[in-house]
Amino acid sequence: MISRTIGHLAFILVAAGLIYGGYRMMTPATTHSAATEKNQKAEKEEASEGVTMSNAKVAAAGIELATASPAVLHDSLQLNGMVQPNQESLVQITPRFPGIVREVRKRIGDRVQKGDVLAIVESNQSLTPYELKAVLAGTVIDRQTTLGEYASEQKPAFVIADLSTVWVDFSVYRRDIGKVHVGDQVLIDPADARPAIAAKISYLSPVGSSDTQSALARAVVENGDQRLRPGLFITGRLSLSERKVDVAVKSSALQSVENRAVVFVRNGEKFEPRDVEIGQRDPEFVEITFGVLQGDPYAARNSFILKSEMAKGAADND
């Protein structure tokens, strides 16, 4: 009996030792696995919090930085138009007497001063040459004569325009005619990646076009830098009403991350995706009612690059 009892005790002790040893062997592995999973989760969360970029990388990526600030939102009307020469500063040069063109001194695009000689014509009546001269300073925008050609007083030989001011003629559809008035401000976009040009409507046609079912609205625009070129199409945004907001960012700054509207705000060298609540907006700015404070620097253009980098970092961690 005693030997049987001792055998049972020995068996229990051996079993207990095996169980304890197995627990000691399993516990570090389990603990290590949990720690690894926790570190990976932390790294993933850290990567999803933002994107780190130096100033050099920001410049290379073409990311434009701006500061959240108050802005004026405009309720606007989009208009299509065309640049025209100012007809009040345009002149057609016509030969005084019919004859043969013996010399041509100016071509299309040449700038001339008042009194400059444009061409020499030999009169058919007297067979003596006379000069065709510019009667105002401007640019030669058309020429209808060539060397040796017969010139007649029935057809202009040159057209000169002073392009320091131009007309921008907009088409206004009948449903919008009542919204447009003389004196309204219009922002003209020449589509040259430069800021819009501010002007005012100076003329609204009292009649419409039967072909397009639209009326003409005209703005006289200063053009000293020759930025606006006659013959080119153009767009304009007519301001109908204005509203000032406390905090606004450029519309191009908004990105969607997991169906959330975010703005990438820069903190040091890190861009953080801030969840934002949006108020009113216009084609250029959007009001931010929550998520971004006045004075916060943010990615205003090419912010999609930051979204892509953030997604790439999350995928690498996975």
Side-chain angles (χ1 to χ4, degrees):
M1 178 67 69
I2 294 174
S3 61
R4 182 179 300 176
T5 301
I6 294 172
H8 282 304
L9 289 173
F11 175 78
I12 292 171
L13 291 174
V14 170
L18 290 174
I19 293 172
Y20 178 74
Y23 173 78
R24 290 294 303 272
M25 292 178 66
M26 292 176 62
T27 300
T30 304
T31 305
H32 176 72
S33 175
T36 301
E37 182 178 352
K38 184 177 180 180
N39 290 337
Q40 288 178 346
K41 183 177 180 181
E43 290 176 358
K44 183 175 180 181
E45 290 178 351
E46 183 179 356
S48 65
E49 287 178 356
V51 178
T52 300
M53 269 195 177
S54 64
N55 291 333
K57 288 185 177 180
V58 169
I63 297 174
E64 175 189 332
L65 297 177
T67 302
S69 60
V72 176
L73 304 183
H74 300 271
D75 181 15
S76 59
L77 175 66
Q78 194 80 10
L79 299 173
N80 296 318
M82 178 180 286
V83 182
Q84 306 278 8
N86 186 337
Q87 298 294 321
E88 295 176 355
S89 300
L90 180 146
V91 64
Q92 297 179 343
I93 309 298
T94 303
R96 288 174 295 165
F97 310 105
I100 303 299
V101 178
R102 297 302 184 188
E103 186 178 347
V104 177
R105 296 188 181 179
K106 301 296 180 182
R107 292 170 174 78
I108 294 177
D110 288 349
R111 295 194 180 186
V112 298
Q113 299 298 321
K114 183 177 180 180
D116 283 355
V117 177
L118 306 175
I120 304 294
V121 180
E122 182 183 276
S123 171
N124 281 351
Q125 297 176 359
S126 62
L127 300 180
T128 57
Y130 67 91
E131 297 174 336
L132 281 182
K133 293 183 178 182
V135 297
L136 59 74
T139 303
V140 178
I141 64 171
D142 193 17
R143 192 188 79 181
Q144 296 294 328
T145 188
T146 58
L147 185 65
E149 184 182 31
Y150 177 77
S152 167
E153 70 272 25
Q154 304 298 322
K155 183 179 71 172
F158 293 87
V159 179
I160 299 174
D162 179 2
L163 299 179
S164 60
T165 62
V166 293
W167 286 353
V168 178
D169 289 348
F170 296 104
S171 295
V172 183
Y173 292 111
R174 59 192 307 168
R175 66 176 179 271
D176 298 321
I177 290 176
K179 303 176 183 177
V180 183
H181 306 88
V182 172
D184 286 348
Q185 186 184 59
V186 60
L187 294 177
I188 299 169
D189 182 11
D192 57 1
R194 294 167 60 186
I197 301 170
K200 290 187 176 181
I201 300 297
S202 58
Y203 171 77
L204 185 62
S205 174
V207 297
S209 168
S210 59
D211 294 334
T212 62
Q213 290 297 293
S214 64
L216 182 146
R218 174 175 295 149
V220 180
V221 186
E222 295 292 330
N223 191 40
D225 58 357
Q226 307 291 296
R227 186 178 171 192
L228 299 175
R229 297 178 179 271
L232 296 183
F233 291 108
I234 209 164
T235 59
R237 194 170 75 245
L238 187 75
S239 297
L240 300 179
S241 63
E242 298 179 349
R243 178 178 180 270
K244 187 173 182 179
V245 297
D246 294 331
V247 181
V249 299
K250 291 188 176 181
S251 299
S252 55
L254 289 179
Q255 293 295 330
S256 177
V257 176
E258 297 179 353
N259 295 323
R260 307 186 327 267
V262 303
V263 172
F264 284 92
V265 176
R266 198 177 197 198
N267 184 8
E269 290 194 345
K270 191 171 187 178
F271 287 94
E272 302 171 350
R274 296 263 190 94
D275 290 358
V276 295
E277 292 182 3
I278 299 171
Q280 298 188 24
R281 63 191 305 168
D282 67 11
E284 187 175 2
F285 290 100
V286 58
E287 178 187 13
I288 302 298
T289 58
F290 175 81
V292 176
L293 299 178
Q294 190 177 135
D296 284 346
Y298 67 95
R301 185 167 62 89
N302 288 343
S303 58
F304 67 89
I305 295 176
L306 298 171
K307 176 182 175 181
S308 176
E309 289 294 322
M310 190 174 69
K312 188 189 302 181
D316 289 344
N317 282 309
D318 286 341

